[in-house]
Amino acid sequence: MAETLQESEQHARTITEKVRSHAQKGKLKTAYDMVAATYVKLSKHLKKRHWEGQKVNVQNRRIRALFEEILITQSSISSADELHQAIEIAWQKHQTNY
């Protein structure tokens, strides 16, 4: 996992760009699978560190919240444009909150 907020955000931006690319190709399921996989990976990492009594980086929690915001939209999204908008809103919310 990335150590700084900038590294975490850059990695998250790379993933969301890949998600957008899949959505533009009409592969919404693949796009949301990527979002879900990233969310799960971050959740497992945070849970493991917490379980082991290790420090949990706040930036990883923040990035997980970003992917959670995107994942929540899955049931109401039916196009690449809507997914793009959901990603933009999640990023705006992320930057406003943190």
Side-chain angles (χ1 to χ4, degrees), residues 24-91:
Q24 289 296 330
K25 295 175 186 173
K27 300 177 181 179
L28 282 176
K29 183 178 180 336
T30 300
Y32 272 107
D33 285 350
M34 289 179 70
V35 172
T38 302
Y39 177 79
V40 168
K41 183 177 179 180
L42 286 166
S43 294
K44 285 182 178 182
H45 172 74
L46 294 173
K47 182 178 178 180
K48 180 182 178 202
R49 291 193 62 92
H50 179 73
W51 182 258
E52 293 172 348
Q54 297 178 4
K55 181 181 173 186
V56 175
N57 292 333
V58 174
Q59 61 267 20
N60 288 332
R61 285 186 184 163
R62 292 174 178 167
I63 296 298
R64 181 183 66 172
L66 168 82
F67 283 97
E68 182 176 23
E69 281 291 319
I70 298 167
L71 194 57
I72 289 170
T73 67
Q74 183 173 9
S75 64
S76 62
I77 299 294
S78 61
S79 73
D81 290 336
E82 290 174 343
L83 178 56
H84 176 76
Q85 184 177 11
I87 290 170
E88 288 302 312
I89 291 168
W91 272 109

Side-chain angles (χ1 to χ4, degrees), residues 12-30:
R13 287 207 183 272
T14 299
I15 293 169
T16 55
E17 287 304 316
K18 289 179 183 179
V19 167
R20 286 181 181 146
S21 175
H22 282 292
Q24 289 296 330
K25 295 175 186 173
K27 300 177 181 179
L28 282 176
K29 183 178 180 336
T30 300

